[in-house]
């Protein structure tokens, strides 16, 4: 690894470290999202309310329902096997009404059987408004100062400034013969209804349009917790079934990385890992040698060429020429490999060849005789002579 690459790597690491440090020391922006999550410590989470719930509901036995109301009532794990043989209050605090249609039906059955439902949110469905004979409306502009107070003078006449996080929804029409007004909101002499009690068969609905009073921000601000206590004072004693589905820290996401991306530390670790892998691939790719194509060596065609020439001579019937070349080839091999002089083919030559090759003396004498005979210029060679001299030479040098 050369020095330039090392400098790049060090610079990249320092750059990432600087980003992490800046992100760690910079002030975190306040998250004003109205999650109403029991585990959230943001202004509009319900962390404080959850921790103080045992003190706020002194006369109630709290059971948190982490499934839909329909599933809760029809589950084998419900309090009893026969629905609605138990008594209590359904309690729900959320930004928006979050019950599905099946749970709505179960809610009406439950309340109609002599129980209670407390719902605090900023909107209500048509089914609820039609069944309980009320309507809601919204102010055209939310005032900078929104005061809330109770209708019952016995609970005090103090007004609480609920401007941050307050909604502009109010009950515009109610059945005055059956519905009881429990609280108001507004400014100066203008007031609007934000808390009502509506009877339904044998039970009651308590409907409230300012869920912000249950959030961390207002429970910890000044004396706003008093307003929350006054609201909750209308909940009767007994079992309290607190609907917390989607508000109990569940991560609603289909991504397989949803938990990693939801945690800042894990998110940065994941990004650093991806950056490191990218850097590794870039520098590792440079170190890899490019594929060298395989070049086949040139084929040795000498033997094929020799065979071709030999076949050419043979087909032409030039036996004398072939015999001469075989004899020349034999002498050349004897001189190069055995270092024997081939000028005179006498007994001395035969003895040396026999000692060097360890071949039969008889075969050597026959070969020498054939060479002398075929070298005679007056002798006419035929095909049989070519075969005979070839066999004799192979006996000696094979």
């Amino acid at each position: 690894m050369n020095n330039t690459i090392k400098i790049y790597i060090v610079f990249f690491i320092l750059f990432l470290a600087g980003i992490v440090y800046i992100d760690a020391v910079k002030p975190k922006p306040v998250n004003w999202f109205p999650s109403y999550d029991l585990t959230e410590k943001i202004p509009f989470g319900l962390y404080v309310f959850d921790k103080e719930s045992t003190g706020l509901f002194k006369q109630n036995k709290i059971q948190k329902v982490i499934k839909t109301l329909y599933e809760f009532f029809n589950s084998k794990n419900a309090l009893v096997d026969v629905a609605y043989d138990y008594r209590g209050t359904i309690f729900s605090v959320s930004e928006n009404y979050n019950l599905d249609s099946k749970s709505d039906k179960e809610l009406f059955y439950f309340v109609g059987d002599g129980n209670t439902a407390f719902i605090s949110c900023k909107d209500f469905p048509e089914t609820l408004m039609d069944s309980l004979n009320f309507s809601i409306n919204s102010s055209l502009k939310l005032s900078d100062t929104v005061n809330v107070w109770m209708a019952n003078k016995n609970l005090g006449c103090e007004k609480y400034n609920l401007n941050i996080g307050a909604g502009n929804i109010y009950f515009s029409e109610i059945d005055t013969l059956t519905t009881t007004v429990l609280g108001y909101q507004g400014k100066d002499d203008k007031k609007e209804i934000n808390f009502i009690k509506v009877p339904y068969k044998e039970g009651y609905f308590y409907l409230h349009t300012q869920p912000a009073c249950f959030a961390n921000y207002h429970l910890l601000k000044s004396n706003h917790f008093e307003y929350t206590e006054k609201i909750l004072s209308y909940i009767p004693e007994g079992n309290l079934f607190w609907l917390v589905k989607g508000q109990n820290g569940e991560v609603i996401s289909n991504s397989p990385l949803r938990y990693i991306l939801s945690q800042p530390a894990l998110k940065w670790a994941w990004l650093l890992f991806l950056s490191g892998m990218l850097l590794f691939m870039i520098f590792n790719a440079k170190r890899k040698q490019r594929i060298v194509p395989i070049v086949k060596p040139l084929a040795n065609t000498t033997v094929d060429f020799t065979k071709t020439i030999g076949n050419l001579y043979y087909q032409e019937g030039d036996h004398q020429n072939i015999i001469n070349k075989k004899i020349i080839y034999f002498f050349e091999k004897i001189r190069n490999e055995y270092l024997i002089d081939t000028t005179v083919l006498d007994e001395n030559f035969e003895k040396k060849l026999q000692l060097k090759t360890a071949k039969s003396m008889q075969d050597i004498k026959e070969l020498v005789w054939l060479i002398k005979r075929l070298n005679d210029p007056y002798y006419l060679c035929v095909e049989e002579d070519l075969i005979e001299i070839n066999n004799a030479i192979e006996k000696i040098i094979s």
Side-chain angles (χ1 to χ4, degrees):
M1 182 182 295
N2 57 41
N3 293 332
T4 303
I5 296 178
K6 291 181 180 179
I7 292 173
Y8 285 152
I9 293 175
V10 172
F11 177 77
F12 181 74
I13 293 174
L14 292 176
F15 177 74
L16 291 179
I19 293 176
V20 174
Y21 175 77
I22 293 173
D23 183 74
V25 299
K26 73 177 182 180
K28 302 298 181 182
V30 178
N31 184 1
W32 293 97
F33 178 72
S35 67
Y36 292 96
D37 193 299
L38 275 62
T39 62
E40 293 282 1
K41 298 180 180 180
I42 59 177
F44 291 100
L46 295 181
Y47 180 82
V48 176
F49 183 70
D50 179 45
K51 296 303 180 183
E52 298 296 329
S53 58
T54 53
L56 294 171
F57 299 108
K58 296 179 181 179
Q59 306 301 323
N60 301 100
K61 181 181 179 182
I62 302 173
Q63 180 178 351
K64 294 178 181 176
V65 180
I66 59 175
K67 55 183 70 175
T68 66
L69 201 58
Y70 174 81
E71 292 172 333
F72 173 70
F73 282 140
N74 293 276
S75 172
K76 294 180 181 179
N77 296 323
L79 297 180
V80 292
D81 293 334
V82 182
Y84 316 131
D85 274 4
Y86 51 90
R87 292 291 180 265
T89 299
I90 297 294
F91 181 79
S92 175
V93 174
S94 59
E95 177 74 1
N96 299 301
Y97 187 83
N98 54 14
L99 272 68
D100 57 84
S101 57
K102 289 186 177 181
S103 296
D104 272 343
K105 293 180 180 179
E106 297 295 337
L107 178 64
F108 280 110
Y109 292 151
F110 179 77
V111 175
D113 200 36
N115 296 292
T116 306
F118 179 95
I119 302 173
S120 180
C121 62
K122 293 182 180 179
D123 67 343
F124 295 97
E126 292 289 339
T127 54
L128 203 64
M129 291 191 287
D130 292 341
S131 300
L132 301 182
N133 195 21
F134 72 89
S135 298
I136 59 174
N137 203 345
S138 61
S139 301
L140 295 178
K141 182 179 180 181
L142 188 63
S143 173
D144 293 336
T145 302
V146 178
N147 294 321
V148 292
W149 65 95
M150 306 302 296
N152 188 349
K153 302 299 181 180
N154 294 328
L155 295 175
C157 301
E158 185 171 358
K159 295 182 179 180
Y160 304 89
N161 186 355
L162 204 70
N163 58 313
I164 298 181
N168 57 356
I169 301 296
Y170 63 93
F171 297 103
S172 57
E173 295 181 8
I174 60 174
D175 186 350
T176 55
L177 296 178
T178 58
T179 302
T180 304
V181 177
L182 302 179
Y184 296 99
Q185 67 185 34
K187 180 181 179 182
D188 300 329
D189 296 333
K190 183 180 179 181
K191 65 178 182 180
E192 298 162 343
I193 302 171
N194 70 353
F195 188 25
I196 59 175
K197 174 183 177 182
V198 186
Y200 180 76
K201 294 184 180 179
E202 301 298 324
Y204 293 94
F205 279 90
Y206 289 89
L207 306 178
H208 183 242
T209 65
Q210 295 293 354
C213 70
F214 298 95
N216 299 330
Y217 178 82
H218 289 290
L219 286 180
L220 298 176
K221 182 178 180 182
S222 186
N223 61 345
H224 290 190
F225 69 92
E226 296 177 358
Y227 176 72
T228 306
E229 291 178 338
K230 293 175 182 179
I231 292 291
L232 298 178
S233 65
Y234 284 97
I235 296 179
E237 297 181 6
N239 295 315
L240 184 78
F241 306 110
W242 188 354
L243 304 184
V244 294
K245 180 177 173 56
Q247 301 171 244
N248 199 30
E250 301 98 329
V251 179
I252 304 174
S253 174
N254 293 324
S255 171
L257 298 175
R258 57 183 178 268
Y259 180 75
I260 292 177
L261 298 179
S262 67
Q263 304 297 317
L266 293 178
K267 180 180 179 180
W268 275 109
W270 174 249
L271 294 177
L272 286 173
F273 168 75
L274 293 180
S275 302
M277 288 299 297
L278 179 62
L279 188 65
F280 171 78
M281 289 188 291
I282 292 174
F283 287 103
N284 194 49
K286 291 185 177 181
R287 295 176 62 87
K288 292 289 185 181
Q289 183 178 359
R290 289 185 298 175
I291 297 175
V292 179
I294 299 176
V295 180
K296 294 183 178 180
L298 295 176
N300 187 357
T301 59
T302 304
V303 176
D304 295 334
F305 176 76
T306 304
K307 289 181 179 179
T308 302
I309 297 300
N311 290 332
L312 180 62
Y313 280 115
Y314 185 77
Q315 291 174 4
E316 292 293 329
D318 192 356
H319 305 302
Q320 183 65 53
N321 198 351
I322 298 176
I323 290 173
N324 291 338
K325 285 181 170 50
K326 291 189 71 66
I327 292 173
I328 292 172
Y329 167 76
F330 171 72
F331 285 159
E332 182 70 18
K333 189 173 181 65
I334 292 301
R335 288 193 295 270
N336 292 334
E337 291 189 11
Y338 302 118
L339 304 177
I340 300 175
D341 184 21
T342 59
T343 306
V344 181
L345 302 179
D346 53 8
E347 292 183 0
N348 187 34
F349 169 79
E350 293 174 353
K351 290 179 181 179
K352 290 180 179 179
L353 184 60
Q354 196 274 332
L355 291 173
K356 293 290 181 74
T357 61
K359 300 295 182 179
S360 169
M361 178 59 75
Q362 182 64 30
D363 292 337
I364 292 175
K365 287 182 177 294
E366 288 181 1
L367 176 58
V368 171
W369 178 79
L370 278 173
I371 292 174
K372 290 179 180 181
R373 188 183 69 155
L374 296 176
N375 279 335
D376 187 351
Y378 298 103
Y379 183 79
L380 181 62
C381 297
V382 296
E383 182 178 350
E384 288 75 10
D385 296 327
L386 174 60
I387 296 173
E388 187 177 6
I389 189 67
N390 181 70
N391 293 335
I393 291 175
E394 286 184 352
K395 287 181 180 180
I396 303 304
I397 63 175
S398 61

